[in-house]
Amino acid sequence: IAIFLAGSILSGTSRSMVQLIVFRGLQGVGGGFIFANAFAIIGDLYAPAERGRYAGIMSSVFGLASVIGPLIGGWITDNLTWRWVFYVNIPLGITAFVVLAMVLPASQRRGPAKPVDYLGAATLAAAIAPMLLAFSWAGTDYDWTSPHVVAPLIGSALMFAAFVLVEQRAADPIIPFSLFRNRVFAVCTAATFVSGAGMFAGSVYIPLFMQGVLKFSATNAGLVLTPMLISLVIASALGGQLISRTGRYKWMTVAGFSIATGGLFLLSLMDAGSSRYWGMGSMAVLGFGLGMSFPSLSLASQNAFPHALLGVSTSLNQFSRSVGGTIGVAIMGSLLTRRLHHELATTMPQRVRQEAPAPLLDAVQNPRLLLDHGALEALRDRGFTAVFGADGSPLFDATVASMRTALATSITDVFLVAAAVMSVAIAIVIFLPELPLRRTIDVPSAFETPPGAER
């Protein structure tokens, strides 16, 4: 929490984009600690048979905060400066400090302290960072075959090779590769990675659709996420209770991913004339499916290992979701950009395509322009009117209409791809072994993993 707050304060005081990126990275380090430990603490306090209901409550709280967050963030964006999006974390962080000091039980160390695998963490970060940059640039800023994309991917591959060598020699590796011999863990990790890509597509691109296509303000775009997050809260709490009562988690995961796939498919049916209620209803379906699957994969992974591996199994589950989501959003962003340019090439007024100067054409191919009313009006007055004279205003209106239509088509294509990705997660989870949920925190001492976990 201290690191997260430091990153928040520094982000709010940033004076350049480079500073903001660096301080956001620091904020992310603190956030990563919080996210992994929050779920690991549940595993430290409760046996797997009881853990489902508490994991469901944790996911519900996470979802509830996610309902409030976009609303507050949208209001701040509309009425204050962007810096207060970071400063608002300060009172929340102080409150968290007080609550933790008062009520969180002290952790009980089991066994001698182990060395931290700093070299493994460094090489893993050095492998992940250039890979994410390459996926973010590919198809948008640079071509897939550009040295700006190929070189980071090669560098990433080399660092992954170095990471494997480091982990094989580490006394206590940050990622013990032996964990992947456990079929439960391998399936959970793969499903979490794939579903992360589909999940983030919905939450990232629906606000862009609402603001860029349907002309919502940032506040109202945040409101559109509310049905998704409310249904996620309900499904997480319900799913956690059902898992604890029945001891079954596989069917919950399959059903959750299936419902989430249906929600993404419904989102893919929208167009520039769609009602906000269709989008909100589809998001509710998506949220319910995600809420059902959230507690189950983490619980299944924790249940497959002894207490000594609780932290690493939990953190790897969260890590795979984050990396999958980041890579998925980057690739889908590239697909969106390519489809957007293709659509604009056919729908933009011919005179604009033929006579507009290059800077003006570049501006109208940026979908973020549709989110800034001031920038749009400036483009009308200083761009189109200056170039086309009396015809500038009607050409501007026609161009913006074509931009909204092209953006709608591009985003719904992304939703369709995300639905296909989520269906892959369903196929993966079908192979998930279902072990009985233990009623004690530790597995029997005779077993490194529960009987049948590697079958």
Side-chain angles (χ1 to χ4, degrees), residues 116-126 163 166-167 170 173-174:
V116 179
D117 184 16
Y118 291 112
L119 184 58
T123 52
L124 179 61
F163 171 70
V166 167
E167 294 302 271
I174 191 170

Side-chain angles (χ1 to χ4, degrees), residues 174-185:
I174 191 170
I175 298 183
F177 294 119
S178 59
L179 265 62
F180 291 93
R181 292 199 295 268
N182 183 301
R183 185 175 165 188
V184 173
F185 180 77

Side-chain angles (χ1 to χ4, degrees), residues 194 197-199 201-202 261 264 332 413-423:
V194 173
M199 175 188 72
T261 302
L264 288 167
M332 291 180 193
D413 280 0
V414 166
F415 289 143
L416 189 59
V417 172
V421 171
M422 193 66 78
S423 66

Side-chain angles (χ1 to χ4, degrees), residues 63-74 226 229:
L64 183 61
S66 300
V67 172
I68 299 171
L71 299 179
I72 296 176
T226 303
L229 299 168

Side-chain angles (χ1 to χ4, degrees), residues 272-296:
S274 294
S275 162
R276 71 176 70 182
Y277 300 109
W278 180 276
M280 294 169 73
S282 302
M283 293 294 284
V285 175
L286 173 62
F288 196 87
L290 293 175
M292 289 182 66
S293 60
F294 267 3
S296 52

Side-chain angles (χ1 to χ4, degrees), residues 248-262:
R248 309 295 293 273
Y249 52 78
K250 180 175 179 177
W251 73 268
M252 184 79 68
T253 312
V254 173
F257 283 159
S258 299
I259 294 172
T261 302

